[in-house]
Amino acid sequence: MMMLGAAIGFGSGPVLSQLLLLQEFSPEIIALYRFAIPALLVLPWLASFRSYPAEYLRCMALGIFSALGMLAFLYSFSWLPATTVILTYYTYPLFAMLIGWVFFDHVLTRNRLIAGALIVLAVAIMQKPEVAGRLSWQALLLCFMAPVSYALLINYVARPVQVLKVSERMSAILAGHLIILVPLSFWQLPVIFIPQSSEQLWLILALGILSAALPQYLFARGTALAGMERSVMISTCEVVFALIFAAVLLQQDVSRLEVIASVLILVSGLIRPEPDQQNSGNSDSQSSPADSLIQLSPSDLKNQLDPADSRTPVVARDRG
């Protein structure tokens, strides 16, 4: 339920960003508001940096990369149709699998490869000939920067080096966002910086709270409980909500090919994940869904029981 709530909130983000772009806000200012509002809400937890500096720095680095991905995503609206940009972003499950395989010791099982093939097919379908002919390889790289950064974030939050509270991890990641966005925003002056009407104010508040702060909290909590595989599976529902918001709020027509592409991406997320080979011999892998939420891999168990970290393990605290 947490991941589904996060999917609804994140699904509204692209449309709200597009509405602010139509109000003549720059991409840098929109990204700043999107991350500054939730950053203010978790600002008190930034003080924990002194206790866990290494983990905070890792999360800040992820935040910096995510901020650059968000800027690339927002700039993509200037040379691509909104629905094309939205669907391109939702290829992140493919990158989540690849990053998990290369950097986090996940195994590319048959089901994961099938899901990846469906996503590749969806990307090929949604590339309209008249749009694809105008794209350069630099533009394509920028367009895929956002899903890559989100995929890396999912993998790390699901299997961090050191355990932090959700609010502490959010404060570190958002601090990384602001390290990039605050200087860039001031370079944009004298463009529109503060809302000039009640409509702009409500759009900014909705972007910062409904599509950023609340879903980020639900995402961090849900990923820690469900793990990378299930998180990616449920997160693919975002594409459905994003297209619905685009059709209703932006009055944009959704083509038949875009519907087919979104269905393929959604189906790829519904394919049941297979356990990694290192866990396949564990009889507990066939336990009930409730138990599966609290299983730990050997590396996770080592991190949870590391004597250097005197904190109560997150999973044990949640079960209590």
Side-chain angles (χ1 to χ4, degrees), residues 16-209:
L16 293 173
S17 299
Q18 177 73 352
L19 290 173
L20 285 171
L21 287 172
L22 296 176
Q23 295 281 343
E24 298 184 354
F25 281 84
S26 69
E28 291 84 359
I29 299 299
I30 294 172
L32 177 64
Y33 277 120
R34 187 180 190 275
F35 296 120
I37 292 176
L40 292 175
L41 298 177
V42 295
L43 186 62
W45 285 273
L46 195 60
S48 297
F49 178 88
R50 293 172 296 179
S51 301
Y52 308 96
E55 184 66 12
Y56 262 71
L57 289 175
R58 283 188 287 266
C59 290
M60 285 182 180
L62 288 173
I64 291 173
F65 188 41
S66 296
L68 295 175
M70 176 56 64
L71 288 177
F73 172 77
L74 292 173
Y75 273 110
S76 298
F77 282 107
S78 62
W79 38 266
L80 280 177
T83 51
T84 301
V85 177
I86 290 171
L87 285 173
T88 301
Y89 175 77
Y90 289 111
T91 60
Y92 68 81
L94 173 63
F95 295 105
M97 287 185 289
L98 294 177
I99 291 174
W101 174 52
V102 175
F103 298 105
F104 293 89
D105 298 326
H106 291 294
V107 178
L108 288 180
T109 61
R110 179 188 58 187
N111 284 3
R112 293 173 187 169
L113 291 174
I114 293 174
L118 288 176
I119 296 172
V120 172
L121 180 59
V123 173
I125 287 176
M126 68 186 177
Q127 299 305 320
K128 301 176 182 179
E130 62 273 17
V131 175
R134 299 196 303 265
L135 291 179
S136 62
W137 66 270
Q138 295 94 336
L140 287 174
L141 287 178
L142 282 176
C143 202
F144 283 105
M145 187 172 176
V148 169
S149 64
Y150 187 45
L152 178 61
L153 188 63
I154 289 178
N155 274 280
Y156 187 79
V157 171
R159 187 177 293 182
V161 174
Q162 190 174 12
V163 176
L164 290 178
K165 293 180 180 178
V166 173
S167 51
E168 293 170 345
R169 193 173 301 281
M170 284 182 61
S171 67
I173 293 174
L174 290 168
H177 292 325
L178 298 183
I179 289 174
I180 293 293
L181 296 175
V182 169
L184 288 178
S185 300
F186 280 103
W187 289 343
Q188 295 295 309
L189 295 176
V191 299
I192 295 178
F193 188 80
I194 59 175
Q196 305 294 317
S197 65
S198 59
E199 179 184 2
Q200 293 179 354
L201 176 61
W202 284 113
L203 285 174
I204 288 173
L205 291 177
L207 181 70
I209 297 175

